[in-house]
Amino acid sequence: ITANGKYGFGQQPKPKPGPNQVLIKVDSAALNPSDILFMRGLYNIKLKYPYTPGWEGSGTVVEVGTGILASYF
């Protein structure tokens, strides 16, 4: 989502996981009603643009940030 009610497809820079975060290469993701509301600018949450919608996904952990979580991987 590039602005309120405006969206498109594109690439974003690869993020770096912070402390106690993981980076996941998403293989599949669901499109939910809340995602549609976000795309239309109708969800009652302020977004920081650009915003990539998606609440659910499945994939592979490809990078782990520092912290206690890193000991599990």
Side-chain angles (χ1 to χ4, degrees), residues 26-40:
V26 177
D27 295 319
S28 61
L31 185 63
N32 293 304
S34 58
D35 296 315
I36 303 297
L37 292 173
F38 273 126
M39 293 167 74
R40 292 181 177 169

Side-chain angles (χ1 to χ4, degrees), residues 18-67:
N20 295 314
Q21 293 181 333
V22 296
L23 179 63
I24 299 173
K25 180 181 180 278
V26 177
D27 295 319
S28 61
L31 185 63
N32 293 304
S34 58
D35 296 315
I36 303 297
L37 292 173
F38 273 126
M39 293 167 74
R40 292 181 177 169
L42 300 174
Y43 211 80
N44 196 22
I45 294 176
K46 289 254 187 202
L47 298 178
K48 182 178 175 184
Y49 300 112
Y51 176 80
T52 302
W55 296 96
E56 301 172 339
S58 174
T60 305
V61 174
V62 295
E63 195 172 340
V64 179
T66 61

